[in-house]
Amino acid sequence: MEAPSIHEANKHKKLGGRTMEIVRIGVTQPYDVLIGRGLLKEADKHLYPFVADKKVLIMTDDTIMKHGYLNQISEKLKTTAGAIHTISFQPGEEQKSMENVTRLVGHLADLNFSRQDVIIALGGGVIGDLAGFVASIYLRGIDFIQIPTTLLAAIDSSVGGKTAVDLPQGKNLVGAFYHPRLVLCDVDSFQTLEPHIFEDGCSELIKYGMIMNPRLLSELMDRTTPLQATDEELVEIVKECVEMKRKVVLEDEYDHGLRQLLNYGHTLGHAFEQCSQYQISHGRAVALGMSVFLQMADKINQLDDHYREQFDALLHQYHLLAEKYDYTAEELSKAMINDKKRRNSTITIVLPIAFGKCDLFQYPIDEFLSWFNEEWQKYEVYS
Ligand SMILES: NC(=O)c1ccc[n+]([C@@H]2O[C@H](COP(=O)([O-])OP(=O)(O)OC[C@H]3O[C@@H](n4cnc5c(N)ncnc54)[C@H](O)[C@@H]3O)[C@@H](O)[C@H]2O)c1
Ligand SMILES: [Zn+2]
């Protein structure tokens, strides 16, 4: 199903449409994604069916806490929930660790959390991935709710049920498919994001455009100013992405086929993240991965010469391709073949076949690595 255009949908809203959009994710245990403005102010109303009289552990990070979101949610739920506990981590990818998983399940046991109780992930993709994984294994699974506070988490990580933590050997190597019971996305919370964090989310937005939505890609390119955290259209944009994700997840919940399209830029992106010890953000790593793989695709899919220039110009608008990182093809290759896309002696990669359309390709690992090596030597960032 083709998602509605940003502009069309916005017109609708101005004509007096709803202020809260609801996307239902119809997996075995279906759940709603609520997207709107001012939703945190009425969190009690939306969360009531999931938290009433239950013990609640709200997980967040220190930056989110400093912005007052943790207090706001705790205050709202204090008369509804049976008991509220909170835990905050330092921000950063390094929190997605087995050490934190062990610490958190122990904490839940100390608090006597039962199968009836619930975890709330209040934050970006890091908190969402960690909280979701802990929820999936504690007592063989307890409920959890996602309250995404970054654009990236709203359009990607909070929906679809992938949860994971990292190992020293690689990113997201331990995890589970485990869906939340509800996703509550208040786009007003993006207003406190640092611009570079908002831009990281735009990388996944551009990814959606490139893999399956040429119209979204052109709309992003045609904008007179880059999308901002304060833009009115954000509700519609988040909804459009969540609908695309829903479509992909419903067709391939366990990532055996179509869902792998969402990994465009990620095989190499994860390698950049790992080689930099997670100093390169996920959004920027993925942007660079998309750009390099577009160059690789040029060769085999014979794309129009202008595609890469146009695509890189869009990535530049969001400051996503600021520098060329100094990693050798060897270091990156080693990290890439540890990635989950490896299947025995072959690797599945996502490559564009047109501007706004990608497909999956399977290559013998040796062939892929020698091809990557060649392209990485030639890779240059257009500025
Ligand atoms: N599970 C999935 O399907 C999936 C999909 C995509 C990405 N991911 C994962 O998501 C992670 C990246 O997520 P992210 O980019 O949201 O990173 P993040 O969770 O580290 O958040 C980025 C920064 O923004 C700050 N922040 C969050 N909300 C804020 C707010 N409202 N105001 C001010 N600051 C705020 C955080 O403190 C943090 O410093 C990666 O670990 C990636 O692997 C998972
Ligand atoms: Zn991603």
Side-chain angles (χ1 to χ4, degrees), residues 123-174:
V126 165
I127 291 297
D129 278 8
L130 174 65
F133 182 55
V134 167
S136 79
I137 55 170
Y138 181 71
L139 300 181
R140 300 195 181 86
I142 64 170
D143 286 353
F144 91 111
I145 292 167
Q146 291 267 20
I147 306 187
T149 59
T150 63
L151 175 64
L152 185 143
I155 64 175
D156 199 351
S157 61
S158 65
V159 178
K162 274 195 189 178
T163 71
V165 295
D166 306 333
L167 292 182
Q169 289 83 346
K171 193 175 153 82
N172 293 339
L173 290 186
V174 182

Side-chain angles (χ1 to χ4, degrees), residues 94-293:
E94 46 299 344
Q95 302 305 329
K96 281 176 51 174
S97 67
M98 284 305 287
E99 289 73 22
N100 277 340
V101 171
T102 309
R103 187 177 148 208
L104 279 162
V105 290
H107 189 51
L108 290 167
D110 286 343
L111 294 170
N112 289 317
F113 263 53
S114 76
R115 278 221 177 122
Q116 285 20 280
D117 298 324
V118 56
I119 294 177
I120 296 180
L122 172 68
V126 165
I127 291 297
D129 278 8
L130 174 65
F133 182 55
V134 167
S136 79
I137 55 170
Y138 181 71
L139 300 181
R140 300 195 181 86
I142 64 170
D143 286 353
F144 91 111
I145 292 167
Q146 291 267 20
I147 306 187
T149 59
T150 63
L151 175 64
L152 185 143
I155 64 175
D156 199 351
S157 61
S158 65
V159 178
K162 274 195 189 178
T163 71
V165 295
D166 306 333
L167 292 182
Q169 289 83 346
K171 193 175 153 82
N172 293 339
L173 290 186
V174 182
F177 287 98
Y178 194 70
H179 292 278
R181 297 299 312 278
L182 179 80
V183 181
L184 180 71
C185 172
D186 183 344
V187 301
D188 286 347
S189 65
F190 305 161
Q191 291 180 11
T192 51
L193 290 172
E194 297 276 346
H196 69 280
I197 308 280
F198 183 77
E199 288 159 2
D200 278 332
C202 293
S203 176
E204 302 278 8
L205 184 62
I206 293 168
K207 176 193 80 179
Y208 277 113
M210 192 59 165
I211 60 178
M212 61 170 71
N213 195 331
R215 201 210 63 247
L216 174 65
L217 201 55
S218 328
E219 283 181 18
L220 288 169
M221 287 193 304
D222 292 348
R223 291 180 66 92
T224 45
T225 54
L227 186 65
Q228 310 271 328
T230 47
D231 281 353
E232 281 287 317
E233 298 128 294
L234 276 171
V235 171
E236 292 307 328
I237 291 174
V238 171
K239 179 182 167 223
E240 181 163 17
C241 292
V242 170
E243 276 177 340
M244 282 185 275
K245 185 131 190 199
R246 171 181 66 175
K247 185 173 174 242
V248 170
V249 169
L250 290 186
E251 270 191 50
D252 175 26
E253 189 174 346
Y254 298 105
D255 213 7
H256 299 305
L258 185 73
R259 187 167 182 173
Q260 293 178 41
L261 283 181
L262 296 171
N263 292 332
Y264 177 46
H266 283 61
T267 301
L268 182 53
H270 287 168
F272 287 126
E273 287 186 86
Q274 198 187 333
C275 290
S276 74
Q277 263 117 41
Y278 301 101
Q279 295 312 297
I280 304 179
S281 69
H282 181 72
R284 279 162 173 83
V286 166
L288 186 56
M290 291 192 289
S291 173
V292 176
F293 273 38

